[in-house]
Amino acid sequence: MKGYRIAIMLGLAGATLSPAASHYAAARSAIDDALAGMDDDRPAAARSPDYLECVPYARQLSGIQIYGDAHTWWGQAKGRYATGHAPKVGAVMAMDAYAGSQLGHVATVSKVVDSRTILVSHANWSPIEGQRGRIEKNVTVLDVSPANDWSEVRVWYAPIHNLGNTHWPVSGFIYNSKDGRVARSETPKARKKGRRSDPIGDIIAGNY
């Protein structure tokens, strides 16, 4: 649940940020735009022995056998794995190439907390003790899309002990089900029909 309480508290207070807090938020945005999810361009020999990219770690956790850069996973999954826009434990969240992350990013869902919050485990997102290519387990991802469809998220960023400020675009979730179809319960239409109203989520999406 790392970062979950902080995420909710700041979500409720986001509409009343002071000028100083706004300046800090802008700085956070610059930081995670520049660094989060970037691959290390140093030669492999110069990296630490435990350096790990996001793709092999997501493949290891999820069992989804897709190879290649993270931004290609969503396209590669079509016709091979079930895909959708609802988080599910064990699914891979496929993030588009954006800002500092030109190769995209993949993370495996470890827990669904509520309609706006999940925990993920992933590699090579935050620098840990100044080093990239490290694993982070059960960290918070917050849906900030206006429609609560998980098309935009904010991701826990360890150096600031908080969610990063960037709204990262998400293609969707890849499920380890090799029928190539979206399960009925995972379609956006079916999920939205049965979902309760989400006033706190609407505040988060609009102001946080």
Side-chain angles (χ1 to χ4, degrees), residues 136-160:
E136 294 176 277
K137 295 182 179 180
N138 302 319
V139 294
T140 301
V141 172
L142 183 70
D143 172 36
V144 291
S145 62
N148 190 197
D149 60 5
W150 290 90
S151 58
E152 299 176 39
V153 299
R154 292 177 67 179
V155 182
W156 179 262
Y157 191 60
I160 59 174

Side-chain angles (χ1 to χ4, degrees), residues 104-185:
H105 187 71
V106 284
T108 305
V109 179
S110 53
K111 183 174 182 177
V112 178
V113 177
D114 57 38
S115 66
R116 287 279 183 181
T117 315
I118 60 175
L119 305 183
V120 304
S121 295
H122 58 172
N124 197 31
W125 184 261
S126 302
I128 306 295
E129 297 177 350
Q131 296 188 15
R132 305 204 63 79
R134 296 300 184 90
I135 290 171
E136 294 176 277
K137 295 182 179 180
N138 302 319
V139 294
T140 301
V141 172
L142 183 70
D143 172 36
V144 291
S145 62
N148 190 197
D149 60 5
W150 290 90
S151 58
E152 299 176 39
V153 299
R154 292 177 67 179
V155 182
W156 179 262
Y157 191 60
I160 59 174
H161 304 288
N162 202 343
L163 293 171
N165 206 44
T166 298
H167 290 203
W168 296 94
V170 174
S171 296
F173 295 88
I174 304 169
Y175 314 110
N176 192 359
S177 174
K178 296 188 178 183
D179 61 4
R181 296 174 298 164
V182 180
R184 183 175 181 82
S185 62

